[in-house]
Amino acid sequence: MEKKVEKQGFFASLGKRKLGVVLNLFYAYMSLGLVLIMLGAILPDLKTDYALSYQVGGALLSVQSVGYVLAGLLAGYLPLLLGIKVSYILIQLSVTLGFIMLLISGNPVWLLAAMLLIGIGKGGITNYNNLLMNIYSRGNAGPLNILHACFAAGAVIAPLIVLAVSGWRMAVIIGCICCAASLVFLVLAGFSDKDLETAEDSRDPVKTGRNQKSADPAKAAAADAGAEKAGSAKGDSRKKKVDYGFFREVLFWVTVAICFFYQAVEASFMGWMTSFLIDTGAMQASLAQFTTSVLWMALMAGRLLCSLAAKKFRPGHMILALTLITTVFMVLLLQSSSPAGLLIATAGIGLGMSGMFGTSVSNAGDIFSRYPVCMGFFVFLTSMGAIVAPAVVGTVANTAGMHTGMSTLLLFAACMVAAAILNLFLQKRKG
């Protein structure tokens, strides 16, 4: 019976109720991609309408990253207190409220609070969507890739919505409607904590064996022995101290440096790109919005290319190539004055950034598997780049202009290349 379910494929094996949950997860991620990329697209008009400085604009982008980090730290604890469904609903509610708040007032403190809520929603939805899809798909990478493709689809659509409607407020209202619809779907969705426990139990050979006790006493006895052994092991692991040995690993810190500077470039470029193109007079607003869609199409294409390249090239070589591509096209972007040159540069930057995070995680080797708490610290430390850099760009732009502010990303990009070279040197020394 189990083999028959596997042959049916992922969607056919879900059943009507679980299929509804999965489709809701797809929609939730698409709407998240839409509203997050929409923020960068509307930033120039929002800044003008509320008379905000570049410095405040940079702070808005940075505080969103702060919310993302906070959600990553807290998302694992909320379900223990409230259950996964209630936790997910509250997280989705934070995005909806944050977007509504953007329409109410231009007070900087109010807007910072709104962006913090949106950032918390971003981190929480990302965490829960990947967790739930991983459980429902039993670790199948296919549905997870579809999930992330839905986010990218929303990201591509967002600038086109801003371009199609009259004014940033109408775009935000559409974003609010999308978020509210996702919230309603979540309330009606059929998933529960019991479903998740059942899904996890079905992947546990010990628990599966115990459920078959009446059918085969010998297997049941073996399963009970296994359960006792597993319980003993869990007891031992509780007594065992958490190992922070990864802090002594040079490779860990080099990988952190690469991802820190990468996230600095990515968060700043995505947040400020539309403002840069419009405020410097390099592009008209309509073409600038289209350029954002081009960026996301390049990111999707780049991720596919990186997945193919990973079969032939080592992570160290790929990281160096990607950092060089990003930096070269960043220079081209800052030097170009023609729309064609800017479009090519934007697509090139998208290709360069596309596979950086996944390849960097792969670069760390078995560090994450040897030290279970390592990933949490890695995400926290590297996210600091996304918090610091957008504010730096805004501060410099406030005093020296948007072009000079965007030029500060070359410093972060140069540090990213230097870290990639150091990483390759360390790998060659190890042989």
Side-chain angles (χ1 to χ4, degrees):
M1 192 73 180
E2 191 174 340
K3 290 182 180 178
K4 188 177 180 181
V5 171
E6 290 177 0
K7 287 180 180 179
Q8 283 181 321
F10 171 64
F11 292 102
S13 67
L14 288 172
K16 185 176 179 181
R17 184 172 60 84
K18 288 185 179 180
L19 178 61
V21 176
V22 168
L23 292 177
N24 180 67
L25 296 180
F26 287 156
Y27 174 77
Y29 225 29
M30 188 193 73
S31 64
L32 181 66
L34 188 149
V35 297
L36 289 179
I37 303 307
M38 186 179 283
L39 289 173
I42 67 168
L43 185 58
D45 292 335
L46 184 144
K47 187 167 62 66
T48 300
D49 201 10
Y50 286 147
L52 303 175
S53 65
Y54 283 117
Q55 192 167 4
V56 172
L60 293 177
L61 296 174
S62 292
V63 80
Q64 184 193 129
S65 296
V66 172
Y68 178 83
V69 173
L70 286 175
L73 295 173
L74 298 175
Y77 296 98
L78 270 180
L80 299 176
L81 300 172
L82 305 172
I84 186 71
K85 184 171 182 176
V86 175
S87 300
Y88 201 153
I89 289 171
L90 289 176
I91 286 294
Q92 179 64 54
L93 182 62
S94 71
V95 179
T96 309
L97 288 176
F99 243 64
I100 292 172
M101 288 172 68
L102 295 177
L103 297 167
I104 296 174
S105 172
N107 181 282
V109 177
W110 177 265
L111 292 175
L112 286 169
M115 293 296 278
L116 181 66
L117 284 175
I118 293 170
I120 289 172
K122 174 187 175 183
I125 291 172
T126 299
N127 186 295
Y128 294 145
N129 262 16
N130 284 279
L131 170 66
L132 289 165
M133 190 61 70
N134 187 55
I135 291 174
Y136 278 118
S137 68
R138 299 172 183 263
N140 187 348
L144 286 167
N145 285 328
I146 296 173
L147 180 70
H148 287 273
C150 289
F151 181 95
V156 171
I157 295 169
L160 302 180
I161 292 175
V162 176
L163 184 60
V165 301
S166 56
W168 69 270
R169 289 180 179 275
M170 182 55 66
V172 171
I173 289 171
I174 292 173
C176 289
I177 293 171
C178 291
C179 290
S182 184
L183 190 60
V184 172
F185 295 155
L186 277 172
V187 173
L188 299 176
F191 71 85
S192 68
D193 293 87
K194 289 183 179 179
D195 281 345
L196 303 185
E197 288 170 8
T198 302
E200 288 181 322
D201 288 351
S202 66
R203 292 185 294 168
D204 189 334
V206 173
K207 292 181 180 179
T208 302
R210 294 183 73 185
N211 290 335
Q212 297 171 345
K213 183 177 284 188
S214 59
D216 191 335
K219 288 184 179 179
D224 287 337
E228 185 177 348
K229 186 176 180 181
S232 176
K234 286 181 180 178
D236 292 340
S237 64
R238 289 192 196 102
K239 295 176 183 178
K240 192 176 180 179
K241 291 184 178 180
V242 176
D243 192 349
Y244 296 100
F246 58 89
F247 283 127
R248 298 189 296 272
E249 301 259 3
V250 177
L251 181 59
F252 170 77
W253 288 109
V254 172
T255 308
V256 165
I258 292 169
C259 254
F260 174 91
F261 293 116
Y262 151 67
Q263 292 210 30
V265 173
E266 183 196 53
S268 301
F269 182 69
M270 288 187 172
W272 282 117
M273 184 186 73
T274 306
S275 297
F276 167 76
L277 295 174
I278 295 174
D279 294 356
T280 58
M283 279 187 181
Q284 293 182 348
S286 58
L287 189 55
Q289 299 295 353
F290 174 73
T291 305
T292 304
S293 292
V294 170
L295 171 66
W296 272 94
M297 285 187 276
L299 281 164
M300 285 193 289
R303 284 168 183 167
L304 291 174
L305 291 172
C306 285
S307 65
L308 295 174
K311 298 175 182 178
K312 296 183 178 181
F313 301 100
R314 292 183 179 180
H317 292 97
M318 285 183 62
I319 288 171
L320 180 58
L322 291 169
T323 57
L324 288 172
I325 290 170
T326 302
T327 305
V328 168
F329 279 102
M330 183 68 71
V331 173
L332 178 62
L333 180 89
L334 294 167
Q335 296 298 320
S336 295
S337 56
S338 68
L342 291 166
L343 278 169
I344 292 170
T346 299
I349 292 170
L351 288 172
M353 294 191 304
S354 61
M356 277 296 297
F357 190 85
T359 310
S360 295
V361 171
S362 176
N363 179 75
D366 64 345
I367 289 178
F368 294 117
S369 61
R370 285 190 287 120
Y371 304 100
V373 299
C374 180
M375 181 57 80
F377 282 94
F378 179 78
V379 171
F380 176 76
L381 291 169
T382 56
S383 295
M384 293 299 106
I387 293 172
V388 172
V392 170
V393 172
T395 301
V396 174
N398 210 45
T399 56
M402 191 66 234
H403 192 279
T404 305
M406 205 68 164
S407 297
T408 59
L409 291 184
L410 289 177
L411 177 61
F412 290 103
C415 291
M416 182 172 64
V417 173
I421 293 172
L422 177 59
N423 175 64
L424 201 58
F425 175 73
L426 288 172
Q427 289 186 1
K428 285 186 176 181
R429 280 189 61 185
K430 286 183 177 181

